[in-house]
Amino acid sequence: MDTIARADVLVTSPSRNFVTLKITTTDGVVGWGDATLNGRELAVASYLADHVVPLLIGRDPSRIEDMWQYLFKGVYWRKGPITMTAVAAVDMALWDIKGKVAGLPVYQLLGGASREGVLVYTHASGSDIPSLLDDIAQVKEHGYRAIRAQTAVPGVAGTYGVKHGAYYEPANAALPEEQSWSTEAYLDFAPRYLAEVREKFGFDFHLLHDIHHRLTPIEAARFGKSVEDLHLFWMEDPTPADNQESFHLIRQHTTTPIAVGEVLSSIWDVHHLITEQLIDYVRLSVTHAGGITHLRRIFALAELYQVRSGSHGPSDISPIGQAAATHLDLVIPNFGIQEHMGYPGLVDEVFKGGPTYADGYLHPGDAPGLGIDYDETAAATFPYSPKYLPVARRLDGSVHDW
Ligand code: KDG
Ligand code: MG
């Protein structure tokens, strides 16, 4: 019987940090899994190398569900982003191996394509309204049918979501940068710039906006109400979802659709949001939510409540995680949209292949497994470089949600 012969945890930083799990079977089949958790990369690398890799050796790589249960239930300490990212990496690598052994792309193993391609949204941003409008014009030229629009807020130094150069990279410093925040300035400015976007470009594309957990429920309700005429595809993370109940309050006031999930990692983090129909899009990622095996279960629950998928796909999820997401997106009946930020150039030197983009859609391709390769020689030339997400402080100096 083919068993797991070895597993290696690889850390590289071709412009940004990525953690990758490589599983090799006794037959020489290699599976790749993404284990990148922005700003906490080495915690997941250690969890894998010190506590998971020794458990994998000699086990049957074809028993994906059993491996998932073993790593989730078997360890006693369940859930949380570090654990669920580590479990995800093993899960992805095993799906990659299963596809390679079968000679089929992973989406075929999951039931086959339900659509021709995966609708994606990308980011447009600016330091002010004119530069945001210029960026949207450029993004539209690349064929995107869905665009997330963010602009720096006057008086708020370092507003989240704004690109510096060609890419948005929030983990930007060896120690967390301190940024500022004013809810009043944001609530005054954001609806006005989103209105200008619709005024200039019309309504024939999906417009998305990320609030990044910055509002209280009643503030989020006010925001959602104020942009109803702009027909946003969604307002993302209007308030932290630690208290799932609090979304009842937002729902009572606005029909602006709501998307939540990028910092969450298990079905238990969203089950109330889903079963009470408090959100419209669930945004957990394959990489941070236990892999294909667990995210598929979350999407299956969501389907019963007419909640669609909208997975997180920033540049801090590696191309392996993005590939895994694209396979799942192609199959599930309640797919909504997939985030697609793209990567800085050096990333292509390490990660080879993966989904292809055309005309607003991604496709995972038909190579066996996840369809992506990792160049270990190139990766070794980009050593780990500590990078942290910023911290947000209110104008009075107190810490705000990031
Ligand atoms: O690691 C944090 C980023 O992934 C996050 O800031 C990006 O909010 C984000 C998004 O929606 O992609
Ligand atoms: Mg977000």
Side-chain angles (χ1 to χ4, degrees), residues 267-343:
I267 199 165
W268 303 108
D269 299 333
V270 283
H271 80 286
H272 189 77
L273 291 174
I274 291 171
T275 59
E276 296 291 317
Q277 296 183 308
L278 299 177
I279 56 173
D280 303 281
Y281 297 90
V282 62
R283 296 194 65 251
L284 287 81
S285 65
V286 171
T287 298
H288 299 143
I292 290 172
T293 299
H294 190 57
L295 191 57
R296 182 165 65 155
R297 205 162 271 141
I298 296 173
F299 289 154
L301 175 69
E303 190 205 346
L304 304 182
Y305 297 91
Q306 292 173 287
V307 175
R308 293 193 281 155
S309 73
S311 286
H312 193 209
S315 55
D316 48 274
I317 281 172
S318 93
I320 297 169
Q322 190 74 357
T326 311
H327 283 273
L328 189 55
D329 291 337
L330 200 68
V331 176
I332 54 169
N334 55 329
F335 169 75
I337 202 164
Q338 170 68 50
E339 186 179 16
H340 174 56
M341 263 175 77
Y343 296 97

Side-chain angles (χ1 to χ4, degrees), residues 121 148 210-213 236-237 262 283 312 339:
Y121 74 92
R148 184 189 97 152
D210 190 351
I211 301 174
H212 228 274
H213 317 105
E236 178 181 327
D237 292 330
E262 70 176 53
R283 296 194 65 251
H312 193 209
E339 186 179 16

Side-chain angles (χ1 to χ4, degrees), residues 121-165:
Y121 74 92
T122 197
H123 293 197
S125 69
S127 53
D128 53 19
I129 298 178
S131 57
L132 169 67
L133 299 179
D134 285 350
D135 202 28
I136 291 180
Q138 281 194 28
V139 162
K140 280 172 80 60
E141 273 183 24
H142 284 99
Y144 285 97
R145 297 153 191 270
I147 301 171
R148 184 189 97 152
Q150 309 290 144
T151 295
V153 176
V156 175
T159 315
Y160 69 89
V162 178
K163 295 179 204 172
H164 299 284

Side-chain angles (χ1 to χ4, degrees), residues 21 27 77 98 147 157 159 196 203 228 232 255-256 290 321 326 354:
L21 179 69
D27 285 351
W77 308 108
K98 194 178 274 301
I147 301 171
T159 315
E196 289 212 29
F203 284 77
E228 272 171 17
L232 294 190
T255 56
T256 295
T326 311

Side-chain angles (χ1 to χ4, degrees), residues 6-339:
R6 59 178 295 158
D8 300 279
V9 182
L10 308 164
V11 182
T12 185
S13 189
S15 323
R16 67 154 0 276
N17 293 311
F18 295 110
V19 180
T20 302
L21 179 69
K22 175 188 183 188
I23 295 183
T24 309
T25 72
T26 46
D27 285 351
V29 183
V30 169
W32 300 106
D34 179 23
T36 309
L37 188 65
N38 208 4
R40 293 293 182 274
E41 294 89 357
L42 299 185
V44 185
S46 159
Y47 189 110
L48 281 169
D50 297 327
H51 303 294
V52 174
V53 165
L55 315 183
L56 300 180
I57 310 306
R59 301 182 73 83
D60 180 351
S62 72
R63 297 178 63 169
I64 299 178
E65 181 66 43
D66 182 66
M67 180 73 85
W68 198 93
Q69 301 295 330
Y70 179 76
L71 293 177
F72 183 81
K73 293 181 180 162
V75 296
Y76 194 58
W77 308 108
R78 301 178 183 210
K79 304 192 284 182
I82 310 262
T83 300
M84 296 306 275
T85 302
V87 174
V90 177
D91 188 76
M92 260 180 260
L94 295 188
W95 279 105
D96 194 21
I97 289 169
K98 194 178 274 301
K100 285 170 178 163
V101 169
L104 290 170
V106 166
Y107 78 83
Q108 292 291 9
L109 305 178
L110 296 171
S114 295
R115 53 192 53 80
E116 304 312 317
V118 167
L119 176 70
V120 291
Y121 74 92
T122 197
H123 293 197
S125 69
S127 53
D128 53 19
I129 298 178
S131 57
L132 169 67
L133 299 179
D134 285 350
D135 202 28
I136 291 180
Q138 281 194 28
V139 162
K140 280 172 80 60
E141 273 183 24
H142 284 99
Y144 285 97
R145 297 153 191 270
I147 301 171
R148 184 189 97 152
Q150 309 290 144
T151 295
V153 176
V156 175
T159 315
Y160 69 89
V162 178
K163 295 179 204 172
H164 299 284
Y167 288 92
Y168 171 51
E169 180 46 83
N172 59 355
L175 285 173
E177 182 185 286
E178 304 250 327
Q179 299 184 340
S180 69
W181 178 250
S182 160
T183 296
E184 294 72 23
Y186 168 80
L187 280 176
D188 173 57
F189 189 59
R192 288 198 277 129
Y193 75 70
L194 291 169
E196 289 212 29
V197 171
R198 280 300 194 207
E199 212 167 288
K200 179 158 172 126
F201 296 101
F203 284 77
D204 71 341
F205 69 104
H206 299 304
L207 179 60
L208 297 81
H209 179 67
D210 190 351
I211 301 174
H212 228 274
H213 317 105
R214 297 298 171 99
L215 303 178
T216 64
I218 198 68
E219 290 163 353
R222 175 180 146 198
F223 175 87
K225 221 168 161 172
S226 71
V227 295
E228 272 171 17
D229 289 350
L230 305 179
H231 299 169
L232 294 190
F233 188 85
W234 73 38
M235 60 172 174
E236 178 181 327
D237 292 330
T239 197
D242 303 317
N243 178 6
Q244 297 180 44
E245 298 281 343
S246 69
F247 283 72
H248 284 284
L249 196 148
I250 306 175
R251 274 299 212 217
Q252 282 161 18
H253 294 284
T254 180
T255 56
T256 295
I258 299 173
V260 167
E262 70 176 53
V263 298
L264 307 176
S265 46
S266 86
I267 199 165
W268 303 108
D269 299 333
V270 283
H271 80 286
H272 189 77
L273 291 174
I274 291 171
T275 59
E276 296 291 317
Q277 296 183 308
L278 299 177
I279 56 173
D280 303 281
Y281 297 90
V282 62
R283 296 194 65 251
L284 287 81
S285 65
V286 171
T287 298
H288 299 143
I292 290 172
T293 299
H294 190 57
L295 191 57
R296 182 165 65 155
R297 205 162 271 141
I298 296 173
F299 289 154
L301 175 69
E303 190 205 346
L304 304 182
Y305 297 91
Q306 292 173 287
V307 175
R308 293 193 281 155
S309 73
S311 286
H312 193 209
S315 55
D316 48 274
I317 281 172
S318 93
I320 297 169
Q322 190 74 357
T326 311
H327 283 273
L328 189 55
D329 291 337
L330 200 68
V331 176
I332 54 169
N334 55 329
F335 169 75
I337 202 164
Q338 170 68 50
E339 186 179 16

